[in-house]
Amino acid sequence: MAAAFTRNDSIHNLWRSHRHSIGAPNNLRNQLPNQLQLSKSYSRFPQSVFPRAKKLKISASSIISSSRKSYSSKFALFGWYLRMVKSRPIVTKSVTSALIYTAADLSSQTIVGESTEGCDLVRTLRMAGYGMLILGPSLHFWFNFVSRVFPKRDLLSTFKKIALGQTVYGPAMTVIFFSVNAALQGESGSEIVARLKRDLIPTMIDGVMYWPVCDFFTFKFIPVHLQPLVSNSFSYLWTIYMTHTANLEKVGTACFQVGNCK
C-alpha cells in the first residue's frame, strides 16, 4: 500500500514537471518581446550618449590645447626677452623702464585724479623719457658695478649691496629725477632747489621703508642680468608715488625766506 502511494507521488511529480516543461516555451514567448524591446533601447543608447561623450572629449582636448598654446606663447615671449637682455642689454632695459614709468604715471593720474581734462600726455612722455634715457641705462651699470664689488650672495654681501643702494644710488637718482622733471616743466634753478628742500628728505624716508625689502629679494635670489627687470617691477608702485610727488606744484623761493613751505 505504501509502495503504491509512493508510486503515485512519483507519477504526479513527473506529470507536474512535464507540464512545466511544456509551459516553458509559452513563458519564453511572453518574455521575448520584452527582451527585444530592451535590446532596441540598448541599441539606441550609444547613438544618443556616445556623441555627447565625443563632443565633451573634443571640447576638453581643445581647451587643453589652447591652454598649452597660451603657456607656450608666454614662455616664448619670456625667452625672447631673455635673449634680448643678453644681446642688447642696455636698449632692452631702457625700453622696459620706459614702459613701466609710462604705466606708473598713467596709474598715478588715474588714482589721484589730478586733472579734470583727462590724461596729461606731456607729463607721461616726460616720465617715459626719464625711464628710457636715464633710469634704464643707470640700472644696467649700477647692478653690474654692485655685482663686481660684492660678487657673493650671502647675507653679509646682500646687506652691503642694500646699504650701498640706500646711501649712494637711491639718493642720487632721486635728486636727478626731481631736478630733470622740474627743469622740463620750466622751473628755474632756485625753484628746483626749493623743490628738493621740500620733497627730497620725505621721499628718502619713504624709500627706506620700501626699498630694502625689494633690494634684499633682488640681490639675494635674482641673477645679475635680470635684476634691472625685477627692480623695475618693484618700482612700479614706487614710481606711482614718485611721479605724483615730482608733479606737485612748484615751490616759491619766497616761502623759504619766511620758513613756511608746504
Side-chain angles (χ1 to χ4, degrees):
M1 190 72 179
F5 281 115
T6 304
R7 204 166 37 246
N8 290 332
D9 290 338
S10 62
I11 292 171
H12 182 70
N13 291 331
L14 287 173
W15 174 250
R16 290 179 61 187
S17 64
H18 178 67
R19 290 182 60 187
H20 185 269
S21 62
I22 292 173
N26 294 326
N27 293 331
L28 290 175
R29 283 196 298 270
N30 293 329
Q31 293 177 0
L32 185 59
N34 295 329
Q35 292 178 354
L36 290 174
Q37 186 70 24
L38 289 174
S39 64
K40 289 180 180 179
S41 64
Y42 286 141
S43 64
R44 289 196 300 268
F45 178 78
Q47 296 177 359
S48 60
V49 176
F50 287 168
R52 296 179 183 178
K54 290 180 180 179
K55 290 180 182 179
L56 290 175
K57 185 177 180 180
I58 293 171
S59 62
S61 62
S62 62
I63 292 172
I64 293 172
S65 61
S66 62
S67 62
R68 287 178 179 176
K69 288 180 181 179
S70 63
Y71 282 123
S72 62
S73 62
K74 291 178 181 179
F75 282 117
L77 180 61
F78 185 69
W80 173 82
Y81 184 83
L82 291 179
R83 291 192 298 271
M84 292 300 295
V85 167
K86 292 182 179 180
S87 61
R88 297 180 178 179
I90 298 178
V91 174
T92 304
K93 296 169 187 178
S94 298
V95 172
T96 303
S97 297
L99 292 175
I100 291 176
Y101 261 70
T102 300
D105 183 65
L106 292 175
S107 300
S108 176
Q109 294 188 47
T110 303
I111 294 171
V112 178
E114 295 165 343
S115 177
T116 59
E117 299 178 356
C119 179
D120 187 355
L121 294 179
V122 176
R123 164 182 159 173
T124 304
L125 288 175
R126 286 200 307 268
M127 299 298 104
Y130 173 82
M132 172 74 74
L133 301 176
I134 299 177
L135 183 66
S138 68
L139 283 174
H140 170 76
F141 291 111
W142 172 254
F143 282 112
N144 288 337
F145 167 75
V146 171
S147 65
R148 287 195 298 268
V149 175
F150 305 108
K152 297 181 180 180
R153 289 190 183 181
D154 57 336
L155 287 177
L156 182 60
S157 299
T158 301
F159 285 124
K160 288 180 180 178
K161 295 174 185 179
I162 294 173
L164 193 63
Q166 292 298 314
T167 55
V168 178
Y169 182 77
M173 295 307 298
T174 303
V175 170
I176 293 173
F177 177 72
F178 284 146
S179 301
V180 170
N181 186 71
L184 292 176
Q185 294 183 79
E187 297 184 11
S188 63
S190 59
E191 290 172 338
I192 293 174
V193 172
R195 179 182 289 275
L196 292 175
K197 289 181 179 179
R198 182 190 67 182
D199 298 333
L200 181 60
I201 299 301
T203 303
M204 290 178 61
I205 293 173
D206 293 336
V208 169
M209 294 186 292
Y210 179 77
W211 277 110
V213 177
C214 304
D215 289 340
F216 179 84
F217 178 82
T218 303
F219 288 126
K220 181 67 177 176
F221 302 106
I222 305 301
V224 178
H225 66 284
L226 291 178
Q227 286 178 356
L229 172 63
V230 177
S231 180
N232 276 322
S233 301
F234 284 127
S235 69
Y236 173 76
L237 294 176
W238 177 251
T239 305
I240 293 176
Y241 164 75
M242 287 286 288
T243 54
H244 169 68
T245 305
N247 288 278
L248 294 174
E249 294 182 359
K250 64 181 180 180
V251 183
T253 56
C255 71
F256 284 98
Q257 297 176 0
V258 299
N260 187 22
C261 296
K262 296 182 180 179

